[in-house]
Amino acid sequence: MITDLIDVHAPAIDVQGLVKTFGDNEVLKGIDLTVTAGEVVCVIGPSGSGKSTLLRSVNLLEEPTGGKILIEGIDITDPDIDIDGVRTRIGMVFQSFNLFPHMSVVGNLTIAQRRVKKRGKAESEKIAHEMLARVGMAHKADAYPTQLSGGQQQRVAIARALCMNPDMMLFDEPTSALDPELVGEVLQVMRSLADEGMTMLVVTHEMGFAREVGSRLIFMDGGHIVEEGDPREVLGNPQHQRTKDFLSRVL
Amino acid sequence: MALRRTQRQKLYRYVVYAVLIAVVVWAIVTTDWSRIGPLFFDPEIAAKMFPGIITTALVNTLWFTAVAFAGGLLLGILLALLKMSSIGPFRWIATAWIELFRGLPAIMTIFAISQVLPIATGISGQKLGGPVVLGLIGLILVASAYMAETIRAGLQAVPKGQTEAARSLGMSPFKTTFWIVVPQGFRIIIPPLTNEFVLLLKDTSLLFVAGSFIWSKELTNFAKDATTQNQNATPLVMAAILYLIVTIPLTRFTAYLERRMGNQR
């Protein structure tokens, strides 16, 4: 069992010397990053800086070219590891929501519970309704994804990930595809998750969220972590020229 | 007099209708129906066709179509998955298969399986299953090649994010394919697959090259023989009507599905 390998004292996420190339293009040039349980780490940076690739590598949606990634002490770059088992412990939320359009909201929330966790129909539906209530979407349990607004879809997507009882959550620009007036409701859900102690790694452009909710901020550029630290410090008093340039463009 | 563009279009349309109706009326009036009519529809001969044209011919046509469709679908799914495989030889086998059976005339494949195979192997056609089975195998090979490409296109039309979402929930590649990709892919390919069914229904008329028994005649073969026997085209006309009764609703259904999917986007 994958759960037997978990080291409770190990960091939630431990990235060591991560290198990723696409063809000749080196997107990540040796990333070291540790996220301890309960931390909310926000990653910012210009597009093409490698921040999404870093996030997607953490649950192996991108296969690392070099380096190691340890999730709760388990090296997921080891080809013999049960990656499906590890992934159930890592919730992932995408920019484009990626709800399953051929299933109702409840169907979206129960399919992995039933087929992966082998929970029964009644139990998985009960959990689904609990998680929907958590994200304020209980009233849309029987709707289909196309009937929901972007903000509602993203809240359902968060609930879907929560149904697997993950130890940590990855957010890949969760509000970038949303109309401005819908951003708030998703950030509100993420904020309440953070308040409940969820370990979170968030790639975002929402500087306000990073400042107020993040316990640490990472600025990436050109495949490197350029600067990291307390969000208020990094945003208010950036040390590197590239950080200053980026922040002057977005703030 | 200056007409507005919409009025001009209306006028043109009425002219076209008028000409069309005139031609049809002229054809009906000038034709010697007492001579031509019985050649194409003689009630006496028509009556003789029952019940065989339904209980044997139509039933065989539908039955052969269903078998060829089901066989072609199963084989087509396998070929589509092989063609999308990351393993080279699997892709090559699938590509060769698809190109071969799509590239040849269907009648040639059926002929090769039913007539050439027994000669090549030295085993009699009867021992290999008889003309009906061999002919259907030929038709299944043809159907599988066409359906493989349709199925592959459908599965690949499912956005990559769907697979990523399923995998990130811990679903295995197989579970992801079975629960997430295939159900969405099939929704996309129902219209082209219905089309394939109609093509296959018509292609069952080629099965005669495999040889047939009296009990195994399908619509075309049945009508062709009856037309020759009676020196009258009535059986052929009846068979044609029976084909259309089956195919037109199916093609209308396809058009409806495509319209509905178009609206959803």
Side-chain angles (χ1 to χ4, degrees), chain A residues 56 59 61-62 83-85 87-88 90-92 94 96-103 108 111-112 115-116 118 160-161 164, chain B residues 158-185 187 264:
Chain A
R56 290 161 57 81
N59 71 351
L61 284 181
E62 302 291 352
I83 186 62
D84 294 332
R87 279 177 174 148
T88 61
I90 312 172
M92 174 107 182
F94 299 85
S96 52
F97 329 135
N98 295 345
L99 293 180
F100 306 131
H102 60 302
M103 297 174 179
N108 268 274
I111 179 76
R115 304 304 159 192
V116 179
K118 306 290 179 196
R160 176 173 71 179
M164 304 302 280
Chain B
V158 177
K160 198 163 149 264
Q162 292 290 308
T163 306
E164 291 182 347
R167 294 305 309 275
S168 73
L169 288 166
M171 293 172 78
S172 66
F174 177 80
K175 284 173 188 162
T176 301
T177 303
F178 187 81
W179 293 103
I180 305 301
V181 179
V182 168
Q184 292 184 58
R187 218 155 283 205
Q264 277 176 0

